[in-house]
Amino acid sequence: MGSLKDTYTLSNGIEIPVLGYGTWQVTDPQDAIDGVVNAVKEGYRHIDTAQMYRNEEYVGQGIKQCGVPREDLFVTSKLNNTNHGYDNTRKTVEESLKKLDLDYLDLFLIHWPVVKNNGGDWKQDNIDTWRALEDLYEEGKLKAIGLSNFAVPHLNNIVENCRVMPMVNQIRLHPGVRQEDTVELSRKHNMVVEAWSPLSPMKYLKDDSEVNAMSEKYGKSIAQLLLRWSVQHGFVTLTKSVHEERIRSNADIFDFELSDEDMSYFDNLTFDELSKPDDFEER
Ligand SMILES: NC(=O)c1ccc[n+]([C@@H]2O[C@H](COP(=O)([O-])OP(=O)(O)OC[C@H]3O[C@@H](n4cnc5c(N)ncnc54)[C@H](OP(=O)(O)O)[C@@H]3O)[C@@H](O)[C@H]2O)c1
């Protein structure tokens, strides 16, 4: 990966930029608008929002104001957990498009699967929701469709019952949370894997002498090392900041490469608090 403009090709031929600008927890309207405008100014072409973030309207305004044609941007949104089911999914995708003021989305994801201990038939519930996305995809409203936070049992259920194979699985990934089984299964079925919260380990690494030595050796911040680790693992990496300087520096990760040894150091880190963020198998 040599540039912020680099892309992966999804299984249906759509290009997805390797670094995405995230908008989770950006609830202030002006921050959301400015964040998107600044990110695009710094060269990001991939914007990630969600119904759950309650900022689609402002992200949409940022997209309008950023000065780059719509077709040059890659915009993702995701289904809120309360909107599962065939009819609800269809209805709320239309609402997302309206809030964003867009004719189509480049990618739409089921944000979280319905899980086992939810009461009903979790398998059928996820299949019904997926059917709605398949139909919207075939109608052209969604250029690509995918999953988020789907672990092995949820993935297998969709893969075994789908008409259109998911093109993406967006999951939590960073040193200390590697979800290797899920990454492997997603890739086996030709899904691009997206990484959320890549900067989570930052607070644990500030006093890590190895990481500080790497920071000095590469002339990069710990945030940049973590983002580079993610990109170097082949993940489409999502990162968020409302600060212009951080938006810029988080994208400045394409002029160096972590050595195998330094990649392994990050691979083998564990943090007690982060080791098992979501026990999907039990749910
Ligand atoms: N599918 C899912 O369930 C799911 C879940 C979570 C996130 N996501 C997506 O993934 C995106 C990325 O995850 P994330 O928001 O957790 O992002 P992140 O980039 O891992 O972390 C963002 C946090 O780090 C701070 N930060 C950013 N750059 C920094 C830097 N250079 N130095 C120090 N601190 C820095 C930000 O604060 P400031 O804004 O104050 O700079 C913010 O608090 C989200 O925004 C969202 O779009 C998806």
Side-chain angles (χ1 to χ4, degrees), residues 21-25 48-49 53 78 111-112 148-149 170-171 195-200 202 221 223 227 238-243 246 249-250:
Y21 177 69
T23 62
W24 180 37
Q25 294 174 323
D48 184 274
T49 181
Y53 304 165
K78 319 183 195 80
H111 205 146
W112 290 89
S148 175
N149 301 307
Q170 180 183 123
I171 57 177
W196 60 258
S197 289
L199 300 182
S200 301
M202 278 215 326
S221 67
L227 294 168
L238 305 170
T239 185
K240 166 264 173 185
S241 178
V242 293
H243 298 102
R246 288 177 177 177
S249 64
N250 290 348

Side-chain angles (χ1 to χ4, degrees), residues 22-263:
T23 62
W24 180 37
Q25 294 174 323
V26 188
T27 47
D28 178 77
Q30 200 57 50
D31 280 350
I33 296 169
D34 293 347
V36 170
V37 169
N38 287 328
V40 173
K41 191 172 85 190
E42 294 305 331
Y44 295 71
R45 291 293 178 269
H46 175 171
I47 316 288
D48 184 274
T49 181
Q51 295 173 347
M52 207 185 281
Y53 304 165
R54 300 185 185 282
N55 59 17
E56 286 173 307
E57 205 177 327
Y58 313 114
V59 167
Q61 288 177 36
I63 290 169
K64 282 271 176 318
Q65 292 175 24
C66 74
V68 165
R70 161 71 185 101
E71 59 275 18
D72 293 344
L73 298 174
F74 187 99
V75 184
T76 302
S77 192
K78 319 183 195 80
L79 187 80
N80 201 347
N81 296 344
T82 52
N83 294 336
H84 272 261
Y86 184 87
D87 292 335
N88 268 342
T89 301
R90 287 195 67 106
K91 183 168 143 253
T92 56
V93 167
E94 293 294 345
E95 285 168 9
S96 283
L97 288 168
K98 208 165 169 192
K99 285 185 183 154
L100 284 154
D101 198 13
L102 297 175
D103 299 329
Y104 68 91
L105 279 160
D106 298 275
L107 177 64
F108 194 87
L109 308 175
I110 303 180
H111 205 146
W112 290 89
V114 175
V115 292
K116 278 183 201 162
N117 67 8
N118 198 47
D121 182 347
W122 67 275
K123 288 191 171 183
Q124 192 57 47
D125 287 348
N126 287 321
I127 292 166
D128 290 346
T129 299
W130 186 249
R131 287 274 177 273
L133 295 194
E134 288 175 320
D135 286 351
L136 288 159
Y137 170 69
E138 286 171 352
E139 290 160 20
K141 290 242 156 96
L142 308 175
K143 299 293 176 201
I145 51 176
L147 309 170
S148 175
N149 301 307
F150 274 55
V152 169
H154 314 113
L155 274 178
N156 278 330
N157 177 44
I158 296 293
V159 164
E160 285 160 16
N161 293 288
C162 66
R163 190 169 79 237
V164 178
M165 196 62 108
M167 291 133 203
V168 164
N169 193 15
Q170 180 183 123
I171 57 177
R172 182 170 189 167
L173 285 171
H174 49 74
V177 177
R178 304 229 8 239
Q179 305 209 50
E180 286 170 282
D181 290 354
T182 303
V183 170
E184 195 183 324
L185 186 64
S186 303
R187 287 179 167 166
K188 181 175 158 217
H189 293 292
N190 298 318
M191 291 173 220
V192 163
V193 176
E194 296 189 349
W196 60 258
S197 289
L199 300 182
S200 301
M202 278 215 326
K203 63 177 172 182
Y204 307 103
L205 296 178
K206 286 201 172 91
D207 298 322
D208 184 308
S209 55
E210 290 281 339
V211 172
N212 280 305
M214 272 189 235
S215 183
E216 198 150 310
K217 177 172 76 172
Y218 293 105
K220 295 287 176 183
S221 67
I222 295 176
Q224 290 169 320
L225 297 179
L226 286 167
L227 294 168
R228 181 69 208 183
W229 174 88
S230 180
V231 164
Q232 235 170 277
H233 267 298
F235 306 137
V236 164
T237 302
L238 305 170
T239 185
K240 166 264 173 185
S241 178
V242 293
H243 298 102
E244 201 172 347
E245 178 43 40
R246 288 177 177 177
I247 291 173
R248 181 178 308 124
S249 64
N250 290 348
D252 183 18
I253 56 166
F254 296 98
D255 59 351
F256 76 111
E257 190 170 336
L258 291 173
S259 67
D260 291 348
E261 196 186 351
D262 293 336
M263 285 295 284

